[in-house]
């Protein structure tokens, strides 16, 4: 559960897209490379524990597969360029957890490693686009930008090819290995995970190319910002080039170390792999091996039809299926649901405790109550001091009479 929260898995994912409000370099570091992936790393390092707990592994795989699919469906219709990439991160983390649930810990770490390059590239590339468009983040307001920012366009394409698992790019090696590990796994949730990860591969290709096509192709929708758009300065482009190189070179050279015969020698005792899973992955039928590529191709083709050839289709679909469109656009209504279940009751409890617990009970009977009683006593005592001489003389007379009475009845002697 801790890893789920840390790595923004299904039900504990809502913070991740909201964290997009931060600066783009922070997004790239936090959401692509370091903080969010720490949950995956933790599960990998605790592999001896998980290998002894098959039920926990089943839960890990189930949640991972659900997240991969769920986040991919939301990414299909989002319009904020960074939010699309954020939901993509969420989805890819789901893939990593599927590998963890399958017992292929090194394969999950492989995807964590490759993902850091191409997702950081997509985040910083998005930042370059936002910079060029004068802080505009809505992809509906973009279009035709490849002519204005060709370098950013080229590196964003590299990142997208890696993310969608195009052959020879980094994502192809790590993502396909995860899907294969789900196929050969003996986990009760393995079939569920295999089907959802394959479907998610198609969805990933669709929303990734949708982002590219709506941003860089077609006619400009905001003419003023389009005219002013220009390529980012060199200090922004150099990191993009480095990450683009990493998105290509972090795949094939490391395949054997993470998902091949070199796993035992490379990882040694740092992870406890499920026995023989790497060997079983290598004996998968060709039809299964080619499924992710097929789904990626289908996603790409549909995206080309929707956003290049016939751009009117998405609008017509949204009008024909308004409930489904709103369901996905509103992120499965998780924010509204959590607001109803957690936020409002918590606010009510807080208000009650503030007004009655803190105000009436603690302050009323504590410091405020004591100070109020002291004030009441002093107000009454003050009334004794009237300033009239005959009042004081009368008080002295009463006192003297009382004293005489005391001695007359012999109390003073006892």
């Amino acid at each position: 559960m801790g890893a789920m929260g840390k790595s923004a898995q299904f039900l504990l994912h809502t913070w991740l897209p909201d964290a997009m409000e931060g600066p783009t370099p922070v997004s790239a570091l936090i959401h692509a490379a370091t903080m969010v992936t720490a949950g995956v790393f933790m599960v990998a390092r605790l592999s001896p524990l998980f290998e002894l707990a098959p039920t926990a592994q089943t839960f890990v795989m189930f949640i991972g597969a659900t997240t991969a699919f769920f986040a991919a469906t939301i990414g299909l219709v989002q319009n904020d360029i960074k939010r699309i990439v954020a939901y993509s991160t969420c989805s890819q983390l789901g893939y990593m957890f599927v590998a963890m649930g399958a017992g292929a810990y090194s394969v999950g770490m492989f995807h964590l490693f490759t993902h850091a390059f191409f997702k950081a590239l997509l985040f910083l590339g998005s930042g370059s686009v936002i910079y060029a468009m004068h802080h505009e983040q809505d992809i509906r307001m973009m279009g035709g930008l490849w002519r204005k920012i060709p370098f950013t366009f080229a590196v964003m394409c590299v990142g997208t090819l890696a993310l969608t698992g195009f052959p020879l790019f980094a994502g192809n090696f790590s993502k396909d290995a995860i899907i294969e590990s789900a196929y050969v796994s003996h986990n009760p949730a393995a079939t569920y995970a295999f089907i959802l990860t394959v479907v998610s591969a198609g969805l990933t290709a669709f929303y990734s190319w949708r982002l590219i096509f709506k941003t860089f192709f077609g006619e400009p929708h905001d003419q003023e910002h389009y005219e002013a758009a220009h390529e980012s300065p060199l200090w922004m482009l150099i990191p993009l080039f480095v990450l683009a190189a990493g998105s290509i070179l972090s795949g094939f050279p490391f395949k054997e170390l993470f998902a091949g015969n070199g796993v035992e020698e490379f990882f040694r005792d740092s992870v406890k792999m499920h026995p023989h899973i790497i060997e079983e992955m290598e004996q998968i039928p060709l039809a299964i091996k080619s499924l992710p590529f097929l789904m990626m191709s289908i996603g790409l083709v549909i995206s080309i039809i929707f956003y290049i050839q016939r751009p009117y289709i998405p609008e017509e679909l949204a009008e024909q299926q308004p409930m489904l469109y709103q369901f996905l656009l509103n992120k499965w209504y998780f924010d509204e649901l959590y607001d109803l279940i957690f936020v409002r009751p918590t606010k009510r409890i807080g208000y009650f405790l503030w007004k009655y617990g803190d105000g009436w009970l603690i302050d009323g009977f504590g410091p405020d109550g004591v100070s109020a009683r002291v004030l009441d006593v002093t107000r009454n005592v003050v009334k004794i001091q009237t300033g009239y001489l005959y009042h004081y003389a009368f008080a002295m007379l009463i006192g003297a009479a009382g004293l005489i009475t005391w001695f007359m009845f012999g109390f003073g002697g006892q």
Side-chain angles (χ1 to χ4, degrees), residues 109-119 170-171 174 246-247 250-251:
M109 290 298 290
F110 189 23
H111 198 51
L112 188 155
F113 170 64
T114 59
H115 176 264
F117 289 100
F118 59 75
K119 193 51 63 67
S174 56
S247 301
S250 63

Side-chain angles (χ1 to χ4, degrees), residues 166-374:
F166 197 81
L168 301 180
F169 285 81
N172 173 54
F173 298 100
S174 56
K175 192 194 233 175
D176 287 14
I178 288 174
I179 294 171
E180 288 166 17
S181 74
Y183 181 76
V184 301
S185 172
H186 303 294
N187 192 309
T191 308
Y192 172 81
F194 174 70
I195 293 167
L196 283 190
T197 48
V198 168
V199 172
S200 300
L203 298 177
T204 302
F206 177 82
Y207 69 68
S208 301
W209 288 111
R210 170 181 176 262
L211 186 153
I212 294 292
F213 295 149
K214 281 184 79 74
T215 304
F216 295 103
F217 291 89
E219 294 302 313
H221 291 93
D222 187 336
Q223 201 65 40
E224 186 185 342
H225 282 157
Y226 174 78
E227 293 299 334
H230 56 86
E231 193 62 89
S232 301
L234 199 62
W235 51 266
M236 285 172 74
L237 300 182
I238 291 170
L240 291 176
F241 176 77
V242 173
L243 290 168
S247 301
I248 299 166
L249 301 174
S250 63
F252 182 72
F254 297 93
K255 185 179 184 298
E256 287 301 309
L257 296 180
F258 283 98
N261 299 323
V263 170
E264 284 184 24
E265 190 185 341
F266 183 66
F267 280 92
R268 296 186 185 170
D269 295 331
S270 57
V271 294
K272 182 176 167 53
M273 294 283 283
H274 196 71
H276 314 301
I277 192 156
I278 300 292
E279 291 92 327
E280 288 175 27
M281 283 166 59
E282 288 170 358
Q283 294 162 8
I284 285 178
L286 188 63
I288 300 294
K289 273 185 180 287
S290 55
L291 256 181
F293 176 75
L294 180 67
M295 291 302 291
M296 183 267 296
S297 305
I298 292 169
L300 171 58
V301 169
I302 294 172
S303 195
I304 290 170
I305 294 167
F306 273 35
Y307 297 103
I308 299 291
Q309 295 177 347
R310 298 173 189 172
Y312 56 87
I313 291 180
E315 291 178 15
E316 286 183 1
L317 264 178
E319 288 169 9
Q320 287 168 11
Q321 304 288 339
M323 285 181 69
L324 179 63
Y325 178 69
Q326 287 301 320
F327 180 68
L328 296 178
L329 192 66
N330 288 295
K331 311 174 282 281
W332 289 31
Y333 290 103
F334 267 104
D335 287 348
E336 290 79 0
L337 198 64
Y338 284 0
D339 186 59
L340 195 69
I341 298 170
F342 300 114
V343 178
R344 290 184 197 173
T346 306
K347 275 185 172 177
R348 287 196 194 104
I349 292 167
Y351 184 82
F352 176 82
L353 291 174
W354 168 45
K355 283 291 182 187
Y356 296 97
D358 197 35
W360 179 77
L361 183 68
I362 296 171
D363 286 348
F365 291 95
D368 287 357
V370 171
S371 65
R373 297 296 76 76
V374 170

Side-chain angles (χ1 to χ4, degrees), residues 2-58:
M4 277 172 66
K6 188 73 170 168
S7 292
Q9 292 300 285
F10 185 65
L11 301 179
L12 301 177
H13 64 277
T14 48
W15 66 268
L16 184 74
D18 293 339
M20 289 300 96
E21 303 298 329
T24 306
V26 177
S27 304
L29 265 176
I30 289 177
H31 302 112
T34 51
M35 196 198 82
V36 186
T37 50
V40 179
F41 181 80
M42 188 197 78
V43 175
R45 290 293 283 129
L46 292 176
S47 54
L49 205 60
F50 280 93
E51 282 300 307
L52 296 171
T55 311
Q57 275 192 320
T58 305

